[in-house]
């Protein structure tokens, strides 16, 4: 089987499994779109053991920085003084800088994984009704992006690794 066909088939099969898991037994604990975002980061980083490690570490780092940014945005009173758009822009400027600048530390060097997970954190908080709140950020539950997005990132890396391994075992150049 040609490599592209093997990769396509393995992603289709593992994508179906990931979707079933996210919508059935793991519903409420992971988000399929966040799994696929991390899976894409894994592929973009080279789809090897180093990419797996970087996707998990930098992905979770991106979630943490996004969480901190959301917390600062909500907890500090500057939105009233500066207006929501300006305060949000300042928080994003500072935290986005941190996400990328942290690449100076070797273990945090996979900027795509960090930025994608950072963005997924805000996507979850801003696009899911009622999630952008201090209550959500402070709860120890899977409503909190620290848990649901981080677990989704880890599963995305796992499914990326599984699909790559499967594809390599059946492909013939």
């Amino acid at each position: 089987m040609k490599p592209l066909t093997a990769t396509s088939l393995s992603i289709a099969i593992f994508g179906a499994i990931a979707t079933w898991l996210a919508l059935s037994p793991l519903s409420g604990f992971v988000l399929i779109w966040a799994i696929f975002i991390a899976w894409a980061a894994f592929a973009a980083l080279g789809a090897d053991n180093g990419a797996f490690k970087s996707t998990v570490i930098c992905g979770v780092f991106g979630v943490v920085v996004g969480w901190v940014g959301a917390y600062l945005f909500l907890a500090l009173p500057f939105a009233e003084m500066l207006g929501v758009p300006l305060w949000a822009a300042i928080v994003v400027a500072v935290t986005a800088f941190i996400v990328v600048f942290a690449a100076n530390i070797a273990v945090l060097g996979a900027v795509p994984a960090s930025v994608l997970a950072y963005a997924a954190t805000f996507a979850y908080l801003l696009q899911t009704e009622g999630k952008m709140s201090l209550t959500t950020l402070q709860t120890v539950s899977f409503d909190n992006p620290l848990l649901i997005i981080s677990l989704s990132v880890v599963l995305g890396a796992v499914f990326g690794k599984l699909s790559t391994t499967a594809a390599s075992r059946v492909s013939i150049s």
Side-chain angles (χ1 to χ4, degrees):
M1 186 179 304
K2 291 185 178 181
L4 182 57
T5 303
T7 299
S8 300
L9 186 58
S10 71
I11 289 173
I13 291 167
F14 285 106
I17 293 167
T19 301
W20 177 80
L21 287 170
L23 298 178
S24 190
L26 297 180
S27 179
F29 301 103
V30 295
L31 301 165
I32 190 59
W33 56 266
I35 289 170
F36 274 104
I37 287 170
W39 196 334
F42 169 80
L45 293 171
D48 56 15
N49 290 335
F52 179 84
K53 177 182 163 188
S54 293
T55 299
V56 170
I57 292 170
C58 293
V60 172
F61 173 70
V63 173
V64 169
V65 175
W67 182 93
V68 168
Y71 191 87
L72 292 173
F73 175 78
L74 293 168
L76 298 177
F78 297 113
E80 290 178 22
M81 294 177 0
L82 301 173
V84 169
L86 180 57
W87 178 230
I90 291 167
V91 169
V92 168
V94 170
T95 55
F97 176 86
I98 291 167
V99 164
V100 178
F101 192 74
N104 283 301
I105 301 168
V107 72
L108 299 175
V111 174
S114 299
V115 171
L116 288 167
Y118 171 87
T121 302
F122 280 105
Y124 170 72
L125 289 169
L126 295 171
Q127 300 299 315
T128 308
E129 182 85 25
K131 296 300 183 197
M132 186 64 166
S133 71
L134 286 173
T135 301
T136 298
L137 296 173
Q138 293 171 341
T139 187
V140 181
S141 77
F142 280 91
D143 283 338
N144 191 323
L146 285 174
L147 297 177
I148 195 166
I149 302 297
S150 292
L151 182 56
S152 299
V153 164
V154 171
L155 275 181
V158 167
F159 276 102
K161 183 67 175 159
L162 289 171
S163 66
T164 300
T165 300
S168 71
R169 292 193 176 163
V170 297
S171 69
I172 301 169
S173 299

